[in-house]
Amino acid sequence: MTNQFQLPRHSRMCSSEFLFGVATSSYQIEGAVKEGGRCDSIWDTFCRVPGKVDNGDNGDIACDHYHLWEQDIEMVHSLGVDAYRMSIAWPRILPEEDAVNVKGLSFYEQIIDKCHALGMKVYVTLYHWDLPQYLEDRGGWLNRETAYKFAHYADVVSRYFGDKIDVYTTLNEPFVSAFLGYRWGVHAPGICGESEGFLASHHLMLAHGLAMPILRKNAPGAKHGVVFNATPFYAERERDIGAAEYKEAENFHWFIDPVLKGNYPKVVLDREFEHRPMILEGDLDIISAPVDYIGINYYSRGVVRYDENGDIESVPQTDAEHTYIGWEIYPQGLTDLLLRLKTRYSNLPPIYITENGAAGNDQCVDGAVDDEQRQHYFQTHLLAVDQAIEQGVNVQGYFAWSLMDNFEWAFGYAQRFGMVHVDYHTQKRTLKQSAIAYRNMLLARSEENKNG
């Protein structure tokens, strides 16, 4: 592979106005779960349940970013990126319901200040799945009150930081929080129930809507939005088109429609009639508060068909290339997804690709990590973004997932998504070839823009 990713000449992505970054999340990298006044999150609890996380792994130490944050931010800067996307751990800020933990705020302030001192913008996610356990003890996202607790948390953070945070994200991937956590039980808190999943989803979206005016008031100079994971679906046969359309409606229209259209997709409400969440009058007005951007996290596609009973089933693409985690590599899906969003939403705000990346079985050999498949993945997906831009989609930035190997939720540490290899025994960081290619692309772009 080349040691530099290539963008088409004259692409808008070559402009200094297009933003490139890397991304992480708090529970996946920080560790120090008992330090700095932090309380337990639902993931601390979930990890202690035998069989829930591969190899019995947990986030107790993770990448020890809590102690190594300064060298990590220097490493981010060395890649030549414009921005760093991170999340703030709710359990560090409000370890008790009404007790603001200044140590937690100070921890993140030093990271934000360091990023700004190095010339990088800071994109902060307020909720990347680490709900305080004391709120889960009262029902978590099944309790409508949690949406209001989130609004209070957003108020605490945004009053403290204001415009010092360049871009605020309310939620990361509410689909995962709601459906994997409360519908299918494979993520924390491990609840299984159709009704529970849809109820949690509504309360998450309500939390987003309640937070938006608070964020705008406290940080009027910042941008504010929300991040969705989105998987485009394809029909195996023409008669399966309805199956693909439904899967997209359930997978991401269910979460994006209430924000951009002020309603939930009828096809899902009808099919899940007995599991409809309680939606109070005015809820959708709250959820559809204007946003400055939406983030899209893309990894792969899905192919589906109707089975003999009329149910929708996935069709494995056995002849296609897959990553180590088993996800098909399909860059065309990213272009298709972005074009479908442009078609569906006449009021589509600017888009950032807030996550995109691949898991590999990466080995550090003689101080180097040759992650050829990941290099190919990034190269083809960067071109896929460019194709969407050429066809009129307003994409303004791209964040690679992830900065470094980390705790990959229910997969533990077996799946490595990082551009930087982490030796979990020594905490040594090693730039993989993909990180070097990303850095070289950004350095070349910077030089070209300097030279006109």
Side-chain angles (χ1 to χ4, degrees):
M1 290 292 294
T2 177
N3 65 352
Q4 177 181 321
F5 299 132
Q6 303 294 325
L7 297 174
R9 290 185 64 83
H10 311 301
S11 166
R12 188 152 65 83
M13 297 173 76
C14 295
S15 164
S16 59
E17 295 179 0
F18 189 90
L19 183 140
F20 281 99
V22 289
T24 64
S25 87
S26 52
Y27 190 75
Q28 292 181 271
I29 67 170
E30 283 179 4
V33 296
K34 300 295 185 184
E35 296 183 49
R38 179 188 180 276
C39 72
D40 270 1
S41 74
I42 55 175
W43 272 95
D44 296 296
T45 303
F46 189 71
C47 289
R48 290 194 286 266
V49 180
K52 292 297 186 181
V53 177
D54 288 357
N55 303 312
D57 292 337
N58 58 54
D60 289 1
I61 300 174
C63 305
D64 200 23
H65 177 72
Y66 187 80
H67 298 111
L68 302 177
W69 67 268
E70 192 162 13
Q71 73 171 54
D72 287 341
I73 299 305
E74 292 278 3
M75 180 173 66
V76 172
H77 178 247
S78 75
L79 297 177
V81 298
D82 307 302
Y84 175 49
R85 177 177 177 244
M86 55 179 276
S87 76
I88 287 177
W90 191 343
R92 289 201 189 279
I93 307 304
L94 291 166
E96 298 176 39
E97 193 163 338
D98 296 313
V100 177
N101 180 26
V102 176
K103 285 184 179 179
L105 291 167
S106 297
F107 169 67
Y108 294 109
E109 186 169 30
Q110 61 189 352
I111 294 174
I112 292 166
D113 287 347
K114 180 74 172 179
C115 287
H116 285 156
L118 294 172
M120 297 184 294
K121 292 184 177 181
V122 181
Y123 283 55
V124 165
T125 303
L126 293 176
Y127 186 64
H128 203 127
W129 312 349
D130 43 2
L131 184 73
Q133 182 61 41
Y134 63 79
L135 290 177
E136 183 58 38
D137 292 341
R138 297 209 298 273
W141 290 110
L142 301 180
N143 183 349
R144 184 181 173 91
E145 185 64 21
T146 300
Y148 292 86
K149 296 299 183 184
F150 176 79
H152 171 60
Y153 158 60
D155 185 40
V156 169
V157 173
S158 57
R159 270 192 292 114
Y160 185 86
F161 290 109
D163 292 338
K164 181 178 277 193
I165 291 173
D166 299 284
V167 178
Y168 286 82
T169 294
T170 52
L171 312 174
N172 179 75
E173 300 185 354
F175 167 92
V176 175
S177 301
F179 288 178
L180 272 64
Y182 291 87
R183 187 180 179 190
W184 301 316
V186 296
H187 274 198
I191 292 171
C192 296
E194 292 295 305
S195 296
E196 287 82 353
F198 283 100
L199 183 60
S201 71
H202 179 62
H203 290 159
L204 278 154
M205 298 319 301
L206 179 63
H208 157 77
L210 289 168
M212 285 301 293
I214 294 170
L215 295 174
R216 290 198 185 283
K217 177 184 176 183
N218 292 342
K223 290 182 180 179
H224 307 282
V226 57
V227 167
F228 305 100
N229 59 303
T231 300
F233 283 88
Y234 298 80
E236 184 188 42
R237 305 155 298 190
E238 188 172 351
R239 65 187 185 212
D240 301 317
I241 289 174
E245 290 176 345
Y246 179 79
K247 289 296 290 184
E248 289 200 353
E250 183 185 57
N251 179 273
F252 57 93
H253 298 160
W254 177 259
F255 297 91
I256 303 179
D257 277 14
V259 175
L260 297 185
K261 289 189 167 189
N263 55 51
Y264 286 107
K266 185 176 182 299
V267 65
V268 182
L269 289 171
D270 289 347
R271 187 181 179 103
E272 299 292 343
F273 183 81
E274 64 181 306
H275 302 300
R276 286 186 179 194
M278 181 179 289
I279 302 170
L280 301 187
E281 184 176 354
D283 281 3
L284 288 165
D285 291 333
I286 292 170
I287 297 170
S288 59
V291 293
D292 298 319
Y293 73 95
I294 62 169
I296 293 295
N297 297 350
Y298 173 85
Y299 290 94
S300 187
R301 70 163 176 171
V303 179
V304 293
R305 66 186 174 203
Y306 290 114
D307 66 14
E308 61 273 12
N309 299 317
D311 294 325
I312 300 171
E313 64 179 8
S314 295
V315 183
Q317 301 301 292
T318 55
D319 294 334
E321 183 182 4
H322 293 74
T323 63
Y324 188 62
I325 205 170
W327 299 348
E328 181 189 358
I329 298 176
Y330 194 74
Q332 182 61 41
L334 180 51
T335 305
D336 294 343
L337 168 65
L338 293 169
L339 292 173
R340 291 177 191 180
L341 291 172
K342 181 176 181 289
T343 299
R344 184 176 180 87
Y345 302 106
S346 59
N347 61 336
L348 185 67
I351 290 175
Y352 290 91
I353 306 302
T354 35
E355 289 183 25
N356 180 232
N361 184 20
D362 303 323
Q363 308 294 324
C364 188
V365 180
D366 296 328
V369 183
D370 185 9
D371 56 342
E372 183 173 347
Q373 186 185 66
R374 184 178 291 105
Q375 294 175 70
H376 177 69
Y377 184 99
F378 279 130
Q379 176 65 81
T380 55
H381 284 75
L382 288 167
L383 295 177
V385 174
D386 180 69
Q387 290 171 17
I389 293 172
E390 285 295 306
Q391 295 178 69
V393 184
N394 185 12
V395 182
Q396 296 192 353
Y398 176 95
F399 290 82
W401 183 270
S402 172
L403 167 65
M404 55 187 168
D405 298 333
N406 53 48
F407 177 77
E408 185 49 41
W409 307 110
F411 295 106
Y413 295 101
Q415 299 294 339
R416 292 179 176 269
F417 274 91
M419 300 177 89
V420 175
H421 181 274
V422 177
D423 182 324
Y424 295 114
H425 298 292
T426 65
Q427 292 298 340
K428 181 180 180 181
R429 278 75 159 133
T430 303
L431 267 61
K432 302 177 187 179
Q433 290 301 311
S434 59
I436 294 168
Y438 196 57
R439 179 193 66 193
N440 291 347
M441 175 192 76
L442 296 178
L443 292 176
R445 183 187 72 147
S446 178
E447 282 300 312
E448 288 176 10
N449 286 323
K450 280 182 185 176
N451 296 330

